Every structure is written in C-alpha cells, then in structure tokens.
Amino acid sequence: MTASAFDIAILGAGPVGRVLALMLARVAPDPARIVLLAGSAPVPATAAAAVPAADPRVLAMNHGSRVLLESLHAWPERSADIRNIHVSQRGRLGRTLIQHTDFGVPQLGSVVAYSGLHAKLDECVAACGVTVLPGPPARIGRQDADGVRIQQGDAELLCQVAVQSDGAGATDVRRDYDQHAVLTTAHATLPRRGWAWERFTSEGPLALLPHPQTPDAYSVVWCSAPERAAELAALDNAAFSHALSQAFGDRLGRLSSHAPRHVFPLALSARRAQVHGRVAAIGNAAQTLHPVAGQGLNLGLRDAARLAQTLAGWLAHPAGNPGPALADFASARYIDRFITASLTDFMPRVFATGLAPVEHACGAALLGMDLASPLRAPLAQHLLQGFRA
C-alpha cells in the first residue's frame, strides 16, 4: 500500500469536479497538491451511455454557467443559444414567455452536448497542473486531526479536505417522482432558432431544446410514468413522432424523430448538510434534481464556484484548519440549494395533479407572469443565474 499527501482531493471527474479543479488550480500556490480522482467502475459493453464520448445527453447551461466556463476557457466549440423560453400547459390557457432582451444579455443560456463539454474540460484539466489519478473508484475512509484518508484501490491518500462531486450519494431527502425521462432528438418542419420550450402535460414536463450538434433539430426530454416511457421508447419512429407531435402541439409544425431513444428514472435526492467535518459534497453528490427547467448541473457549478472561492484563502496556508472556510461555504449555499430544489420539485408535481382547479390555477399563474414582468422576474432571474449569495 502506498500513501500520498494532498491539500484537496476531489472524488469524481464529471463536469462539476473538473470545474472545481480548474478554479482551485488558479488560486493554489501549488496546483499539483490538488488531486482529481478520476476513477470509474468497469462499464458493460451494453452501457454505452455511461461512456462520456457516447453519452446521449445534452445539457442546458444558463447564462451564469456559460460566463463561468468561458472564464475558465472551458466552453465547448459547439453550442446552441437559448434566447427565448416558452412555458405552457397542455390543454389549458396561460403561458409565459421569457426573453433575453428582458435582461440585456445575448442569450438566457445555451445547450451543449455532454460529450463535448466533457472533452473540453478534460483538455483544460490536463493543462492546469492539478494531479489526476485514474483508477478504480475512490472512497472516503476515516478523518481525524491529520486530515481525511481516501482509499483508491491499493493506494491510500491523505488530504486536508475531501470533496465528493459525483455519484448519487445524497439520501437525507428523497422523492421518487414515479416518472422516467425519454431522451431523443427530433426535427421540426417549422423550427425556430434560439427558442426552448417547456410544456407541462398531465404525464409530466415535455421540453424541447435547440440541439447543439444538429441544426434545425431539438433535443427532447419527455417525462412520463415509467410504463408510458417504456411504451414510448418501444414505438417505431413514425408512431413516436406522431405521439410527440400530439403531446407538444403544432408550434413547431410537425415533429419527426429517427434518433435512438434513451430512458432514465427521475428522483430527487439531497443532503441536508453539504459539509461533514473536512468533507464537502457538491453537484450530484449533494443533490440530484428533476430535469424540469434544466437546473441540476447549473446548481452544481454554483456549488463548485462558491467552494473554490471560500477555500482560496485557506489554500494559501493549508496547514491551518479548513473548518471555518467549509462552514462559510455550507452557509452561503443553503438558500440557493433550497430554492432550486423546491422549484424543481414543485413544478412537475403541481402541473401533473390531474385536478382541473389546480391546472386552471397553474394556467392563471402562467398568464399572470406573462402579463406582469415583476411576477415573471424572480423565476426568470433564477433560471438565468440562480441565487448567488
């Protein structure tokens, strides 16, 4: 067994962990004393979606996340801008339109391919000076006054601060939505560049996002009951395209999909406390959210940015106690996490009650937000950049 000592160990090399590594490398006197443990479990041949280069997902990045990634020179080459967001409810009156001109920004957000973002971050991390250790998944062992001990295969690492950034390890708060998301790509006969659509149905939210790699196409995120999702995934292309057009409506003309379809279960899981001793949790290790409004990764990136900011002073003298900095981080992140988790938990449930009075009230709320910008502004501002303490 070998032992190595580091100031900070980041467990998980997904986008959130890599962004944290890039930000810490900018403020650390010696970036090599930050270690990114990029281990992963063996991937079955049938699980291509688990391999970053083959991952079918696209990611909705809000304006704040794009600014952050551009400042790190980590924005992928290909993206599709979102300048307008149209929110509606199937079968009921009322809709809300959020436009980039309301905020004087070039776009409300952008859509990137997971594979493209991962590749760009990989390139940036390789050049930033942090230590990257591939290998089996790492796990946190005991922590004491000397630091935190981490086991990775036969190697033991000692670090002053450990950060969990990947994995669904949050179990304090748990809600199963009894929904699965069907992911695919569709072409529209009347596409509208720069528009994203969030349509609430009795089955669950249906989102169409401009696709970053296929012009005049949309990435589809269709949430429904598990049985219905399995049924949709098994349809032939013509039947699925017809069902999609029926559910979405005719705002984009006729929708047709000939792309593979992937199904993912949806649940809320969150830690009440992001810090335990010298261990902090960010991103999916701290919370996984319903994909409505595309807030999960954006929230995780805000976790990473705030943690890097609060640890910057301590990194100048890492022999000191990191406790106060970690406590400041946890306190600063509480409100944003609470608001974002509450919003993404409430919206898909309230619009899918099947109760006519509730659905009419939701429609009235959408109409009210559309007619009165002061009512629309808090939601739009949160979608734009989240709550930043």
Side-chain angles (χ1 to χ4, degrees):
M1 179 180 293
T2 59
S4 302
F6 296 92
D7 295 332
I8 300 175
I10 304 169
L11 286 74
V16 171
R18 289 176 184 267
V19 165
L20 177 62
L22 291 174
M23 298 190 73
L24 290 173
R26 288 190 165 189
V27 298
D30 182 3
R33 290 188 59 79
I34 298 164
V35 60
L36 181 65
L37 299 168
S40 60
V43 179
T46 56
V51 181
D55 197 300
R57 290 173 295 173
V58 300
L59 305 169
M61 314 293 291
N62 66 22
H63 178 70
S65 294
R66 177 164 184 165
V67 170
L68 171 62
L69 290 170
E70 287 180 337
S71 74
L72 297 170
H73 306 291
W75 187 251
E77 293 181 5
R78 303 185 70 170
S79 63
D81 287 346
I82 298 174
R83 294 186 292 274
N84 307 284
I85 301 174
H86 187 283
V87 184
S88 64
Q89 183 180 197
R90 184 186 180 196
R92 304 293 182 190
L93 295 176
R95 58 87 163 159
T96 293
L97 180 61
I98 302 171
Q99 299 177 290
H100 69 107
T101 51
D102 295 339
F103 300 93
V105 293
Q107 65 275 319
L108 295 169
S110 304
V111 184
V112 301
Y114 180 88
S115 56
L117 176 62
H118 192 282
K120 187 64 177 179
L121 287 170
D122 195 32
E123 173 188 319
C124 293
V125 167
C128 77
V130 303
T131 300
V132 179
L133 293 181
R139 60 181 180 84
I140 293 176
R142 63 184 176 88
Q143 56 175 306
D144 52 33
D146 293 328
V148 184
R149 299 185 184 277
I150 297 173
Q151 197 74 33
Q152 187 186 35
D154 292 331
E156 182 179 80
L157 289 75
L158 176 65
C159 61
Q160 296 305 302
V161 173
V163 182
Q164 294 178 300
S165 68
D166 281 353
T171 58
D172 296 337
V173 179
R174 176 81 184 179
R175 186 192 301 280
D176 186 346
Y177 291 108
D178 195 30
Q179 289 183 355
H180 285 184
V182 179
L183 308 185
T184 190
T185 302
H187 288 263
T189 57
L190 298 174
R192 301 182 69 176
R193 291 286 186 93
W195 284 71
W197 312 80
E198 187 86 61
R199 185 143 171 84
F200 290 95
T201 76
S202 58
E203 299 176 326
L206 168 59
L208 268 68
L209 308 173
H211 201 284
Q213 296 179 320
T214 308
D216 301 328
Y218 291 86
S219 175
V220 178
V221 183
W222 192 349
C223 304
S224 61
E227 299 80 8
R228 174 61 170 163
E231 177 185 307
L232 290 170
L235 292 176
D236 62 39
N237 291 335
F240 179 83
S241 299
H242 176 73
L244 179 61
S245 294
Q246 289 290 106
F248 182 76
D250 58 4
R251 289 183 176 87
L252 294 173
R254 188 175 65 257
L255 297 169
S256 61
S257 175
H258 302 277
R261 294 187 281 277
H262 305 270
V263 180
F264 294 90
L266 303 178
L268 164 70
S269 60
R271 296 175 187 261
R272 289 191 173 89
Q274 278 187 279
V275 172
H276 175 66
R278 291 172 178 251
V279 178
I282 63 174
N284 284 344
Q287 64 272 318
T288 58
L289 309 179
H290 193 288
V292 65
Q295 291 299 296
L297 178 56
N298 295 295
L299 181 64
L301 292 180
R302 296 197 294 274
D303 284 343
R306 186 67 192 203
L307 183 58
Q309 180 183 356
T310 54
L311 287 177
W314 170 80
L315 265 175
H317 306 283
N321 179 14
L326 292 173
D328 287 347
F329 159 74
S331 177
R333 294 299 300 138
Y334 176 80
I335 295 178
D336 188 22
R337 294 181 70 229
F338 177 80
I339 292 175
T340 307
S342 298
L343 176 68
T344 57
D345 178 53
F346 175 74
M347 290 176 68
R349 292 190 297 116
V350 72
F351 278 97
T353 62
L355 300 175
V358 176
E359 292 179 353
H360 284 302
C362 290
L366 290 175
L367 179 61
M369 286 193 291
D370 194 58
L371 295 176
S373 58
L375 297 178
R376 185 173 67 251
L379 173 62
Q381 188 69 39
H382 195 81
L383 295 178
L384 187 71
Q385 64 176 23
F387 181 87
R388 294 168 184 258

